[in-house]
Amino acid sequence: MIKYIAKRLGQSILTLFIIVTIVFSLLRLMPDEGYLGAAAEKMSLEQQEVYLTNLGLRDPLLIQLKNFYIGLFQGDLGKSVTYRTDVPVLDIIQDKMMYSIVFGLGAVALSLLVGVPLGIFMAQFKGRWLDRLGTGYIVFVVAVPAMVYFLMIQMYISDWFNLPMLFDEYNPKSFILPLFCLALGPIASYAMWMRRYMVDELNKDYIKLARAKGVTERTIMFSHVMRNAFIPMAQYLPATILFTITGSIYIESLFSIPGMGGLLVDAIQRQDNNVVQGLVLVFSSLGIIGLILGDILMAIVDPRIKLGKGDSVR
């Protein structure tokens, strides 16, 4: 496993280098007017050139790329140019990251606590009223655009239960609706896949053999079926948790949460290269680390899976 992790880390560093280099190069193809903003009308052409030169945008691309990686290895992602002028990119990301982490982790915990048991009971009582009710909920969440029921929840649920419509970090009750909205989709997803995998397991020969030997349904469900059904889901769980840092654009906008959701969009619109590069690096790292942790978690959950070389390993 150590060799596997070392190999994957090496591949991950190369992948990050390629992604960041491509994004860095593409950002330099954007028009200069975006860096000047509203100040462009008040500046002469000479002043604009001086300003862009001071930003390093008139240096050759390879020189700009070299300076970026030198700063990166020193833990410096640069300073914001247009989003929050002269504020370090790391400070901007850290300020917004905590809000997204709190809501994201809360939503993941809620969706696991509700979605996994719901999928288990739907599989256990397949074809009965609970299974039909859960299926109806899944179809509703998948078929209806999320913005529709998010708005209905904000307008009506907040009124019925006297809950704040907008987020206020000093009011604990304002956390309820955003967490509820964020968890609705994952609950349906966990329930759907858990039910599917458990139904598949229930139809396998080893379950029929266990029943023939007189093993109780409770033991079959929780000691055999549920464990094997959860293995495919375990691979994506670390990535799901890590990606809570990226936030939700729509939820954070709807409830006025100052999280990471809209930061990348705002930075691209304002052509703040340093912020965009920092966010791409963070998001890419999270995705790659999540995949590695997912493979490791699968090997832990299922000892039959071995990481390395050979025909019977990942």
Side-chain angles (χ1 to χ4, degrees):
M1 183 178 290
I2 294 175
K3 291 182 179 179
Y4 172 82
I5 295 173
K7 179 181 177 182
R8 287 295 299 269
L9 285 175
Q11 294 173 342
S12 301
I13 292 172
L14 177 60
T15 303
L16 280 175
F17 173 78
I18 294 172
I19 292 173
V20 173
T21 300
I22 291 174
V23 171
F24 186 96
S25 303
L26 290 176
L27 287 172
R28 268 57 190 177
L29 298 177
M30 299 179 73
D32 294 337
E33 290 77 7
Y35 302 108
L36 303 171
E41 300 177 357
K42 304 176 183 179
M43 300 170 67
S44 65
L45 292 177
E46 291 77 10
Q47 290 174 322
Q48 292 179 15
E49 283 298 317
V50 171
Y51 179 76
L52 294 172
T53 300
N54 291 335
L55 292 178
L57 295 171
R58 290 298 182 250
D59 294 333
L61 181 59
L62 291 178
I63 299 297
Q64 295 183 49
L65 192 60
K66 183 192 75 171
N67 294 334
F68 169 74
Y69 278 113
I70 290 174
L72 179 62
F73 290 135
Q74 296 173 348
D76 181 16
L77 293 176
K79 293 182 178 181
S80 173
V81 178
T82 57
Y83 182 77
R84 287 170 57 186
T85 306
D86 290 333
V87 177
V89 173
L90 280 175
D91 291 347
I92 295 175
I93 294 175
Q94 288 172 358
D95 289 344
K96 293 183 172 291
M97 185 182 295
M98 291 311 300
Y99 292 101
S100 295
I101 290 176
V102 169
F103 281 99
L105 291 181
V108 170
L110 181 60
S111 59
L112 285 172
L113 288 172
V114 178
V116 172
L118 177 60
I120 292 171
F121 289 124
M122 288 173 65
Q124 189 173 8
F125 302 104
K126 180 184 176 183
R128 298 166 69 174
W129 68 269
L130 182 60
D131 184 28
R132 295 192 184 99
L133 185 65
T135 302
Y137 165 72
I138 294 170
V139 171
F140 174 83
V141 170
V142 173
V144 179
M147 63 184 69
V148 174
Y149 54 79
F150 286 163
L151 283 172
M152 293 176 62
I153 289 171
Q154 187 186 44
M155 293 174 61
Y156 297 111
I157 302 298
S158 61
D159 184 46
W160 295 344
F161 295 96
N162 193 27
L163 295 172
M165 292 183 66
L166 299 178
F167 172 68
D168 178 6
E169 60 181 316
Y170 301 107
N171 184 359
K173 293 173 65 177
S174 68
F175 285 77
I176 296 175
L177 287 183
L179 280 174
F180 180 65
C181 289
L182 279 171
L184 284 177
I187 287 173
S189 179
Y190 284 128
M192 178 179 66
W193 290 109
M194 197 67 187
R195 178 192 182 278
R196 174 187 170 181
Y197 291 135
M198 289 194 70
V199 169
D200 289 343
E201 290 295 320
L202 285 169
N203 291 325
K204 291 184 176 179
D205 292 338
Y206 79 95
I207 297 297
K208 297 175 182 178
L209 179 61
R211 284 173 175 157
K213 290 182 176 180
V215 179
T216 63
E217 284 294 319
R218 181 182 180 86
T219 302
I220 290 174
M221 291 296 295
F222 291 97
S223 297
H224 301 287
V225 177
M226 188 177 74
R227 180 178 179 181
N228 289 331
F230 191 74
I231 291 173
M233 297 175 62
Q235 184 177 14
Y236 304 102
L237 187 58
T240 301
I241 294 174
L242 288 175
F243 266 109
T244 60
I245 295 175
T246 63
S248 168
I249 295 177
Y250 189 73
I251 293 293
E252 292 180 0
S253 300
L254 184 65
F255 292 97
S256 298
I257 300 171
M260 292 274 286
L263 180 57
L264 181 59
V265 176
D266 290 342
I268 292 174
Q269 289 175 342
R270 302 186 190 190
Q271 288 189 214
D272 198 323
N273 289 354
N274 290 338
V275 176
V276 174
Q277 291 156 190
L279 290 172
V280 168
L281 180 64
V282 171
F283 294 169
S284 301
S285 300
L286 291 175
I288 292 171
I289 293 171
L291 291 175
I292 295 174
L293 293 178
D295 288 344
I296 295 173
L297 183 59
M298 283 191 69
I300 294 173
V301 174
D302 187 356
R304 295 172 298 179
I305 298 175
K306 302 202 179 288
L307 304 175
K309 297 182 178 179
D311 297 332
S312 59
V313 299
R314 288 180 65 83

